Each structure stands twice: as C-alpha cells, then as structure tokens.
Amino acid sequence: MYKPVKLTISAASEVGLVRRHNEDMILVGDRFIRDDEFYEECDLAQKDRFMLALADGMGGHNAGDVASRDVLENLHYFYGDLPRGLQAGEFNEAIFGWMDSINNIIDSKGHADPCYLNMGTTLVALAYYEGQFYWMNCGDSRIYRLHEGRLRQISTDHSLNNLMGSSKHSNLITNCIGGGCKMSYIDMVNCTADVLPGDMFMLCSDGLSDMIDDSAIEQLLMGGASAADLCQAAVKAGGYDNVSTCVITMK
C-alpha cells in the first residue's frame, strides 16, 4: 500500500485572552513556534527522521514556559543525534531513555534554582523515523486523527478526570515531565499502518480541546481550517488558556 511521504503542516500558538504569557511551544522539524504561526510543506523522501511535537508548560507551577522550551529543545537535539538503522526495540528504548533523562534534567533545574521548582510540561508528538510513524504522549495534550471525515482522539489523557471518569478535577494531570513527577512515563505507538493519504493528524494543547468540543473541531478541519484558524476559534470561545495546535495533512 502506498504510504504518504509528503506532509502539509500548519502550526500556531497563542497566549489567549486570560493568561499573561504563553507557556505552550511547538516544534516542527527545526522550527520552534510560540506566539506565532507557521506553514510548511515537507517531503519525507528527503529525510530519515522528522519530529512534530507540542509541549504545554504547566501553568500551576513555576516557569512552565521554561519547561516547555527546555523539553522541546532537548528533544530536537536528541532526535537529530539518534543513530541510523535502529530496530523497533532499540528505537523504543532510546525514546524511553530520553524520557527518563529529560525528566531528571527538568527536576534537577528546579532543585538548583527555586525559580524553577516543580516546573513541568506535557508533551505530545508525531515522529517519523526511517519509514515509520509513531505518536507519543505524556500528560493531557492530545493527538487526533481525522480519517474519512471522522475525528478521533488517539492519545489517552493522563489526567484525574480521565482516571476518575468525571469532569470534577479540571486541569489536574497524573503524568508530566517535571512537575515533581518522579516516575514520568510516555505512551508510544507505532501508527504507520494508520498513516494514509488524505488523513489529518492534529496535535493540540488543552487550550483548544477545553474550549471547543471534538465535533466542532471535526467540522472546522473538514472545512479546511488551519492551525491558526483553530486557535482563533478557541480564543473566540473564551480563550481561557494558552492555545496551540499543529495540523498535519498526509499526501
């Protein structure tokens, strides 16, 4: 079966209407996006790896903007330095090892400087490595797939709401990078079989998913909305949080 190797990518990150500064950040290849929008067409036939990731710094902790930036910068360099030819188990082991390392780095920075104590961030990503696609998630930022006109969240929120099956614990997450978590973990799934021509994948912070329900997001994407359009819709709905999203169309 033909596998897409060309991507159309739009990304946008906004502070919203309530927060004073933006703790979200997006990584697209070599580009970091915060308080900005970005568009790119990418040919994976010319690359052996490509990373799209979104981090939502934890607003209830100190310096969430620093945590999201540090994690994405570290991920960028780590992923670029991965050796070629890793087998599936070796690739998984490398990602899990990075997760342990970056959690220790963020935690240690907080112990070294009280300004950064207990800072933390979520992370959600879509990664390409030597012909294989993987999605990854730590926290309550999300990745969705739009296939044949139907939008579905494919990540699982690491949140108290999800654990308890209620909506009484808004913004309380059970897993993150830093934030005092000693045993942070990352979900990782090889999704290559689900990457089909015409499909869309969307990464977003909870500033989008808390403001707009999935059916409305589905309609916007089906109508050709870009990442910036989605962010503006969240802002118009109230913009209570920073909002960031990255839309990837497979060709």
Side-chain angles (χ1 to χ4, degrees):
M1 179 181 294
Y2 170 76
K3 287 295 177 184
V5 293
K6 292 185 178 180
L7 314 178
T8 298
I9 303 161
S10 66
S13 178
E14 295 193 17
V15 68
L17 298 177
V18 176
R19 303 279 187 178
R20 292 186 177 182
H21 60 283
N22 192 350
E23 297 183 318
D24 291 1
M25 183 172 275
I26 302 171
L27 170 65
V28 177
D30 295 324
R31 179 71 175 259
F32 297 92
I33 300 107
R34 174 181 281 162
D35 297 320
D36 199 2
E37 59 185 85
F38 178 68
Y39 176 88
E40 180 179 37
E41 292 190 356
C42 178
D43 187 352
L44 297 181
Q46 309 300 319
K47 303 176 184 292
D48 65 352
R49 69 198 66 195
F50 193 74
M51 175 65 70
L52 302 117
L54 183 152
D56 179 353
M58 295 170 62
H61 294 74
N62 296 321
D65 54 336
V66 175
S68 59
R69 181 199 67 204
D70 286 0
V71 166
L72 289 188
E73 288 181 348
N74 190 289
L75 176 62
H76 172 246
Y77 289 113
F78 159 80
Y79 202 65
D81 288 341
L82 270 182
R84 295 181 179 179
L86 293 179
Q87 299 300 311
E90 295 171 322
F91 181 82
N92 291 353
E93 184 177 349
I95 297 297
F96 295 148
W98 173 79
M99 183 67 183
D100 289 339
S101 173
I102 191 60
N103 194 59
N104 289 334
I105 289 170
I106 297 297
D107 187 57
S108 296
K109 191 166 185 174
H111 288 298
D113 187 337
C115 291
Y116 303 130
L117 184 63
N118 287 331
M119 70 178 180
T121 184
T122 68
L123 177 72
V124 65
L126 181 66
Y128 173 82
Y129 176 80
E130 296 190 349
Q132 301 293 304
F133 288 90
Y134 302 82
W135 65 256
M136 309 172 192
N137 179 57
C138 174
D140 66 347
S141 294
R142 295 179 175 181
I143 182 167
Y144 290 82
R145 180 192 182 204
L146 181 70
H147 173 67
E148 295 182 346
R150 297 291 301 275
L151 184 72
R152 182 173 69 89
Q153 180 185 347
I154 56 177
S155 60
T156 298
D157 294 348
H158 302 156
S159 66
L160 201 55
N161 277 348
N162 189 55
L163 188 65
M164 302 298 291
S166 70
S167 58
K168 298 179 180 179
H169 311 284
S170 179
N171 298 323
L172 295 179
I173 61 176
T174 57
N175 181 38
C176 65
I177 299 173
C181 289
K182 302 299 183 183
M183 297 294 291
S184 297
Y185 61 93
I186 190 164
D187 294 338
M188 185 166 67
V189 174
N190 186 320
C191 59
T192 308
D194 293 328
V195 177
L196 301 172
D199 281 2
M200 289 184 185
F201 288 82
M202 185 189 74
L203 314 177
C204 70
S205 63
D206 62 355
L208 179 72
S209 55
D210 283 352
M211 298 306 303
I212 308 175
D213 64 31
D214 289 3
S215 62
I217 295 173
E218 178 183 282
Q219 291 178 8
L220 285 166
L221 289 174
M222 288 297 294
S226 66
D229 295 330
L230 292 167
C231 288
Q232 279 300 304
V235 170
K236 288 179 181 178
Y240 300 141
D241 198 356
N242 306 148
V243 55
S244 299
T245 185
C246 182
V247 178
I248 307 107
T249 302
M250 305 295 175
K251 293 186 176 181

